[in-house]
Amino acid sequence: DIQMTQSPSSLSASVGDRVTFTCRASQGISNSLAWYQLKPGTAPKLLLYGASRLESGVPSRFSGSGSGTDFTLTISSLQPEDFATYYCQQYFVSLSFGPGTKVDLK
Amino acid sequence: EVQLLESGGDLVQPGGSLRLSCVASGVTFSTSVMTWVRQAPGKGLDWVSSISSGGTTHYADSVKGRFTVSRDNSRNTLFLQLSAVRVEDTALYYCAKGRGSLFFLFDLWGQGTLVTVSS
C-alpha cells in the first residue's frame, strides 16, 4: 500500500498570506495526485489533479507542483473562504489519502 | 443541478444494520465508478468501498464481509448496506464519483450522511 503524509498538520495564517503545504508518497506515484478541500457541512471539493492541473471553476490562486514522491499545494493569497482542511490523495495504485492540513485564522 | 445526495445515516446499536443511499443528478452515473469514503470524528478520509459501472465491487479490509455496496443505474442511486456495525464505524459517509477512466479521481462528492454506532 502507498502511504501518504502531509505537513504541517495545521497552520495558522491571515487573509492575504501565501501558504504552502506539502504531501509525500511512500513510493513514486508519477503525477497521480489530487488535492481536495473540506469544510464542515459541505461536500468535499476537488481542487487540483495530475499534481498541477486546476479543476474547472477553482480560483487561480491555487496551484500545485511535484512529481514522483513530493508534492506541494500553494495558495498565493489566502481568502476568507479558504480556511478549511486540505487533503492530498494518490490514485496511482488504488487510492490513499493523506492525513490532512488544517488552515485556520491566525 | 449536478450533485450527489446521501441519506440513511442514523444512530444504530453495535451489531445492527443500516442502508445508506446516494442519489446522483446531472451526471453520467451509469458509466461512472462510484465510491464510499468515510471520515470518523476528528480523523481523516478513509476509503470504504467502490463499485464499477458493471457491478464489480471492492472493499477495505476493515469492512469486508460486513458492508455491501450496490447500485441501481436505472435510478442513478448508489447504496451501502452496513451490517454487524461496530463503534469504530461511526463516521460521516460520503459518496464520490470517479472521473472516467481515472476511477479513483473523485470529481464530485456528496455532503455526507452521519452514521453513529452506540449503545
Side-chain angles (χ1 to χ4, degrees):
Chain A
D1 292 2
I2 298 176
Q3 309 300 318
M4 306 299 292
T5 57
Q6 289 184 244
S7 61
S9 58
S10 66
L11 68 88
S12 297
S14 301
V15 173
D17 284 353
R18 178 184 180 91
V19 297
T20 298
F21 26 92
T22 65
C23 174
R24 177 166 289 173
S26 60
Q27 65 188 73
I29 59 169
S30 185
N31 66 342
S32 298
L33 185 97
W35 290 95
Y36 301 93
Q37 179 190 64
L38 268 74
K39 296 181 185 179
T42 67
K45 181 180 179 181
L46 174 64
L47 299 176
L48 297 111
Y49 62 98
S52 61
R53 302 186 70 169
L54 201 65
E55 176 71 353
S56 176
V58 174
S60 59
R61 62 180 180 271
F62 291 91
S63 63
S65 65
S67 183
T69 60
D70 295 311
F71 303 86
T72 61
L73 173 66
T74 297
I75 309 173
S76 61
S77 177
L78 199 66
Q79 297 302 300
E81 60 269 30
D82 299 337
F83 292 101
T85 303
Y86 295 85
Y87 290 87
C88 64
Q89 178 228 330
Q90 67 81 17
Y91 50 94
F92 184 70
V93 175
S94 184
L95 73 149
S96 49
F97 294 96
T101 293
K102 184 177 181 180
V103 179
D104 61 20
L105 185 61
K106 184 185 291 183
Chain B
E1 182 181 3
V2 174
Q3 67 174 4
L4 300 174
L5 186 62
E6 302 97 335
S7 62
D10 204 346
L11 172 64
V12 58
Q13 291 188 339
S17 298
L18 202 62
R19 189 173 86 155
L20 308 183
S21 300
C22 168
V23 178
S25 55
V27 298
T28 53
F29 177 84
S30 62
T31 59
S32 299
V33 172
M34 297 298 297
T35 293
W36 289 97
V37 175
R38 67 185 180 184
Q39 184 176 30
K43 302 295 185 182
L45 298 171
D46 279 328
W47 171 68
V48 175
S49 179
S50 298
I51 184 168
S52 72
S53 57
T56 301
T57 58
H58 302 276
Y59 299 95
D61 288 343
S62 58
V63 307
K64 201 172 294 183
R66 301 187 299 121
F67 291 9
T68 303
V69 63
S70 60
R71 64 192 297 162
D72 183 343
N73 288 338
S74 68
R75 291 195 289 156
N76 284 358
T77 303
L78 174 73
F79 302 100
L80 186 68
Q81 178 72 42
L82 286 66
S83 303
V85 296
R86 305 167 180 167
V87 170
E88 56 265 33
D89 294 323
T90 294
L92 186 62
Y93 284 73
Y94 297 103
C95 63
K97 184 183 81 63
R99 169 169 286 174
S101 60
L102 297 176
F103 302 146
F104 299 129
L105 173 60
F106 304 126
D107 60 5
L108 184 66
W109 297 64
Q111 294 190 1
T113 188
L114 182 62
V115 173
T116 303
V117 182
S118 175
S119 55

